[in-house]
Amino acid sequence: MLWAALVGTPVFGAPPPLPEPEKGPSHAENLGAVVRIHVQTVAHARSASSNGRERHGTGVVVEPGGLILTSALLVQEADAIVVTTLDARTVPAVVAAHDPALGIAVLQPAAGLGVRPLPVGHSATLEPRAWVSVASAARHRTVSVATVVDKRDFAGDREYLVEDAIFTAPLVHDCAGAALVDGTGKLIGVGALALKEIRGAEAPLGPGNVFIPVERFLPALSHLARADGSSAPRRPWLGLVTEPSPAGLVVTHVPPGSPAERAGLRVGDAITAVDSTEVRTHVELYRSVWRTGGPGTSVRLTIQRDGTAREVRIRAIEAQDYLIHRA
């Protein structure tokens, strides 16, 4: 099994079939608002090496018009997207807005779904040890009971940051785009990643999931209301894959054709500063890079290579411009 915490991508593989849980009224409502999403990527998609060309995940209907929230990682480089409702109706959809750095996408179905949207709540007052529900439709429509383990920033190793992320246990395998629902039946998070191990306030607690809190993905919806149809704010992307070490953030992989590769960054280089500002963690690195400007910005990194400090300038692009790749 490929664990998202290790590669920075969601788990899309099919788990062993699970028994359908007993569902009270709230479970039935949750299942009605979530839809199955089937994605076929473009040929030669760069993301296919980690996520495959054919993907299955979940979406959450959040507006009467049928707008669907889901995982941006799920629909990366999509050539065709098909949405399936609880009553087995299938409708094609397109990506209407997305924020790859946050990991959220908004889908627009080609026709009305006839699905009552899930009301949106608030996660700010959610406390550790609170009971929540996770509604998934990726392979088998299920509603699972989970516990909130922690709330804190989560940074992956590939320029991915979720602020105030919600960590839950036990593990839900098909979590990409799944709905996190509070005790009142309101949506408070959207599924991002499966983790091999999560930590509570005191100790490791085993495998679990990361959810993007409602307060972070609501801006993606507001962009759709703009007259110019603009999407989420554009962030600079460098192609950095790193892990923390005493020497700095060590480069563990350089994606072929990425800005990092074109600038000459190598595996083993240790990034210590962005525009002269010291960085030691993924959160510090990403926020420092994003503050430099949008795509097209020249980002100055200080690195350690073979015991010598040097500067590397990387011209940032938008992540989507790298991902959409055809031979």
Side-chain angles (χ1 to χ4, degrees):
M1 182 177 188
L2 184 62
W3 290 96
L6 302 181
V7 299
T9 53
V11 173
F12 297 120
L18 298 175
E20 188 77 7
E22 295 184 5
K23 297 180 285 292
S26 62
H27 281 180
E29 291 176 3
N30 292 348
L31 282 176
V34 300
V35 294
R36 178 179 294 119
I37 296 175
H38 175 230
V39 176
Q40 187 73 29
T41 72
V42 298
H44 311 291
R46 293 187 190 272
S47 58
S49 61
S50 55
N51 296 336
R53 284 201 62 203
E54 187 172 359
R55 305 167 188 171
H56 299 271
T58 301
V60 189
V61 178
V62 291
E63 288 195 355
L67 291 179
I68 301 165
L69 279 171
T70 191
S71 163
L73 297 170
L74 175 67
V75 297
Q76 278 180 346
E77 301 178 282
D79 187 44
I81 302 172
V82 176
V83 173
T84 304
T85 62
L86 180 61
D87 60 1
R89 183 182 181 192
T90 60
V91 178
V94 296
V95 177
H98 71 285
D99 185 342
L102 175 61
I104 281 290
V106 181
L107 305 185
Q108 176 69 65
L113 298 176
V115 172
R116 187 171 75 173
L118 193 63
V120 177
H122 304 279
S123 71
T125 58
L126 194 64
E127 296 290 340
R129 300 183 181 178
W131 292 100
V132 289
S133 297
V134 179
S136 171
R139 302 278 182 169
H140 311 281
R141 292 182 179 273
T142 60
V143 176
S144 307
V145 176
T147 303
V148 175
V149 174
D150 202 358
K151 289 174 63 182
R152 64 177 186 275
D153 292 347
F154 172 80
D157 59 0
R158 297 175 182 247
E159 297 180 69
Y160 179 69
L161 171 64
V162 181
E163 295 178 316
D164 302 320
I166 303 169
F167 294 76
T168 65
L171 173 70
V172 174
H173 290 271
D174 280 320
C175 69
L180 187 68
V181 182
D182 67 12
T184 67
K186 293 182 179 179
L187 180 70
I188 56 172
V190 168
L193 302 170
L195 300 182
K196 188 173 183 179
E197 183 175 85
I198 57 176
R199 294 189 63 88
E202 300 175 356
L205 297 174
N209 298 105
V210 177
F211 286 84
I212 303 166
V214 60
E215 289 82 2
R216 298 302 172 190
F217 60 67
L218 283 181
L221 286 175
S222 69
H223 287 291
L224 288 176
R226 294 183 178 179
D228 61 5
S230 61
S231 188
R234 300 171 68 211
R235 284 176 171 156
W237 182 83
L238 305 181
L240 300 178
V241 185
T242 58
E243 65 179 24
S245 80
L249 289 153
V250 175
V251 176
T252 58
H253 175 63
V254 182
S258 66
E261 185 192 56
R262 292 198 297 269
L265 209 63
R266 303 175 186 172
V267 171
D269 289 343
I271 301 170
T272 59
V274 177
D275 284 351
S276 300
T277 300
E278 183 181 17
V279 293
R280 286 288 179 181
T281 66
H282 283 134
V283 172
E284 292 173 350
L285 173 62
Y286 303 157
R287 286 178 175 162
S288 295
V289 169
W290 294 342
R291 281 196 296 266
T292 62
T297 300
S298 179
V299 181
R300 178 167 54 92
L301 302 183
T302 303
I303 67 171
Q304 288 282 338
R305 178 182 294 170
D306 300 326
T308 302
R310 62 180 68 193
E311 289 188 353
V312 175
R313 286 191 174 271
I314 305 179
R315 184 164 296 278
I317 64 173
E318 192 167 9
Q320 194 71 1
D321 291 338
Y322 173 79
L323 287 171
I324 297 298
H325 171 70
R326 294 174 174 87

